[in-house]
Amino acid sequence: MSDAQSYLRATSAEYSRWCGAMEVHRRLLSLNPEYAENRALIENAAFTYEATEQVSARQSIVDIPVVVHVVHNTPEQNVGDAQIHSQIAVLNQDFRASNPDVGKVPATWQDLVADARIQFHLARTDPLGRPTDGITRTQTSSPDWDTDDLVKFSLSGGHDAWPADVYLNLWVCRLRRGLLGYAQFPGGAASTDGVVVTYTAFGTTGTATAPFDGGRTAVHEIGHWLNLRHIWGDDDEGCSGSDFVSDTPNQGGPNLGSPSFPHVTCNNGPDGDMFMNYMDYTDDAAMFMFTKGQAARMDAALDHARMPLTRQAVAV
């Protein structure tokens, strides 16, 4: 058994997914009044987009430049180029609804499957205009990282973000036990903007380890970066939460593993939970769709909070 497999086995007896995006969100709300103000404006725009059903308003494709910051304590954590390219390939399939498993969406929801018209490429120029492969590599003395954003700063042994109005910053490192990834919602500081994924749940080759070896952790976290919430509304296992998307059924908490359809909670029968949605907590092989309502929220983010990045995308 490899170090990566041993690490993942130790993280959870049930190999369950856990995301720290809401932990970061709540911390920023409590500490940063400007973030809270920004979030209110961003949510107003998102509500407007979905309420007016601007799901198909944007026909053009947004191509987002990505820089992958590999922060490694051991040689195994220094994931290879092929693993990084495999993750970009998954992003480009999943955000365009061209993933091979999209046909597994139950018939009742097939009309809701969305092509978000977003694609990704590794950056071709760095912040100084020099050619780059879109990958940085930093050796660190830190054995693992938490949701405190220290991996995003060279002074704490990580790597500084590239300008967030030009690049999607994606850090790959060893996260603390049980944590697969986290993201910063739109509206936060540029210095910490981006997505963090643990090295055992990144891409589809190398250290990627089942059941999180399909590249879907980064898909989930980039969903947060584009202002998507967890599909159950983050109210623990109650039925009062909301992801602010009208075409995703209300459900009683996250789904783990690979559920069987239908799985009914919160009186949402007969179809039950949309557990195959990328914003649930199921295994990589069990999630394979965004909805049109979610695509509308992503459009709102790209047209407002993320607009500077989309304007720069062609050049880098």
Side-chain angles (χ1 to χ4, degrees):
M1 183 181 295
S2 71
D3 289 345
Q5 290 170 322
S6 298
Y7 166 63
L8 189 60
R9 183 176 294 277
T11 62
S12 170
E14 297 182 356
Y15 303 97
S16 59
R17 183 181 300 277
W18 193 77
C19 158
M22 289 304 294
E23 182 177 316
V24 172
H25 174 62
R26 290 167 181 141
R27 169 170 56 82
L28 293 178
L29 283 177
S30 65
L31 297 177
N32 188 340
E34 183 179 0
Y35 176 76
E37 293 172 4
N38 290 342
R39 290 298 305 155
L41 294 173
I42 290 165
E43 284 303 321
N44 285 339
F47 289 144
T48 299
Y49 266 60
E50 213 204 344
T52 56
E53 297 182 330
Q54 295 188 32
V55 177
S56 301
R58 178 172 55 81
Q59 298 300 318
S60 61
I61 297 171
V62 173
D63 192 2
I64 296 176
V66 180
V67 55
V68 177
H69 304 296
V70 181
V71 181
H72 57 97
N73 177 254
T74 67
E76 185 178 44
Q77 296 168 20
N78 188 16
V79 299
D81 288 4
Q83 188 168 347
I84 293 170
H85 285 279
S86 76
Q87 180 62 75
I88 299 297
V90 170
L91 297 179
N92 285 331
Q93 289 182 338
D94 289 357
F95 280 85
R96 295 301 317 276
S98 62
N99 45 302
D101 50 1
V102 72
K104 295 180 181 179
V105 174
T108 188
W109 291 319
Q110 286 179 0
D111 289 344
L112 296 179
V113 173
D115 173 0
R117 301 174 304 282
I118 302 169
Q119 61 189 36
F120 304 83
H121 68 273
L122 289 171
R124 294 180 284 268
T125 58
D126 72 6
L128 296 178
R130 300 171 300 193
T132 180
D133 61 0
I135 303 168
T136 71
R137 298 184 181 277
T138 302
Q139 187 161 9
T140 183
S141 61
S142 297
D144 56 25
W145 303 87
D146 209 327
T147 60
D148 52 15
D149 289 331
L150 291 180
V151 73
K152 301 175 182 179
F153 296 96
S154 59
L155 288 177
S156 49
H159 194 287
D160 295 336
W162 287 10
D165 60 347
V166 180
Y167 307 92
L168 163 57
N169 287 273
L170 202 167
W171 288 266
V172 181
C173 60
R174 176 173 174 162
L175 288 172
R176 74 168 192 246
R177 178 173 178 167
L179 179 62
L180 293 189
Y182 71 94
Q184 181 172 292
F185 286 107
S191 61
T192 52
D193 192 35
V195 165
V196 184
V197 177
T198 199
Y199 79 110
T200 54
F202 184 78
T204 62
T205 64
T207 58
T209 307
F212 306 117
D213 55 351
R216 264 63 194 265
T217 296
V219 175
H220 177 104
E221 299 303 341
I222 291 172
H224 287 313
W225 180 79
L226 289 169
N227 205 34
L228 297 187
R229 299 292 190 101
H230 290 134
I231 193 171
W232 67 92
D234 292 287
D235 62 341
D236 295 322
E237 295 185 3
C239 295
S240 60
S242 175
D243 63 351
F244 310 123
V245 177
S246 62
D247 62 6
T248 57
N250 189 23
Q251 70 181 52
N255 287 287
L256 308 179
S258 297
S260 297
F261 176 81
H263 181 248
V264 176
T265 62
C266 294
N267 298 313
N268 61 10
D271 300 321
D273 298 353
M274 190 183 282
F275 56 78
M276 68 292 305
N277 193 284
Y278 294 123
M279 302 313 294
D280 207 336
Y281 268 11
T282 48
D283 293 346
D284 280 17
M287 53 170 59
F288 28 78
M289 72 174 291
F290 287 119
T291 69
K292 292 178 179 178
Q294 289 173 318
R297 279 183 68 87
M298 290 190 275
D299 277 353
L302 291 168
D303 288 349
H304 293 86
R306 300 292 183 200
M307 184 187 294
L309 185 146
T310 62
R311 286 177 172 172
Q312 297 285 343
V314 175
V316 294

